[in-house]
Amino acid sequence: QVQLVESGGGLVQAGSSLRLACEASGFVSEFYGIGWARQAPGKEREGLAVISSVDGDAYYSDSARGRFTISFDASKRTVFLQIDNLQADDTAVYYCAGRYLPSTPVYVSPDVRFYDYWGRGAQVTVSS
């Protein structure tokens, strides 16, 4: 079964950077997308970015474009989310999520509705 395990969360100062990691296992196909979403207190879960193992293309939501960078180490099946210039409203639980993809390159939406697998989440708290 697919498992996604996040790491790298914690308490950080506003203005700093943070890199989250998601280690994926259990995908029976080499064609999948892994992305990141977050859920702040009292808010709905929000998709941020997703990367495709098919062609390495990354896709970002409008709110994530600019300060968020997603990357993929295929040899380790690990996806990273770099967040720069952290702000207080970045405080949230950050989730790793995944889904299978077709073998040919396609657009992959970072919308949370399209994921089938979820990690348990990593808390990120930004202090000002």
Side-chain angles (χ1 to χ4, degrees), residues 10 12-18 20 37-41 43 46 48 63-64 67-68 81-94 122-127:
V12 296
Q13 294 282 335
S16 65
S17 297
L18 183 72
L20 301 172
R38 68 181 179 183
Q39 189 164 18
K43 294 189 176 181
E46 170 192 26
L48 298 171
S63 61
R67 295 189 298 117
F68 295 77
L81 184 70
Q82 173 87 14
I83 312 172
D84 295 321
N85 191 24
L86 280 152
Q87 303 300 312
D89 58 6
D90 291 319
T91 294
V93 178
Y94 285 75
Q123 176 69 47
V124 173
T125 303
V126 183
S127 64

Side-chain angles (χ1 to χ4, degrees), residues 18-79:
L18 183 72
R19 191 174 79 156
L20 301 172
C22 171
E23 187 173 349
S25 62
F27 281 103
V28 296
S29 163
E30 62 187 284
F31 308 118
Y32 51 86
I34 296 178
W36 289 92
R38 68 181 179 183
Q39 189 164 18
K43 294 189 176 181
E44 292 187 354
R45 195 168 296 190
E46 170 192 26
L48 298 171
V50 61
I51 193 163
S52 168
S53 74
V54 178
D55 56 7
D57 279 357
Y59 302 88
Y60 295 88
S61 65
D62 289 342
S63 61
R65 203 165 284 117
R67 295 189 298 117
F68 295 77
T69 304
I70 192 169
S71 59
F72 180 43
D73 184 337
S75 66
K76 297 180 182 179
R77 286 200 168 189
T78 299
V79 174

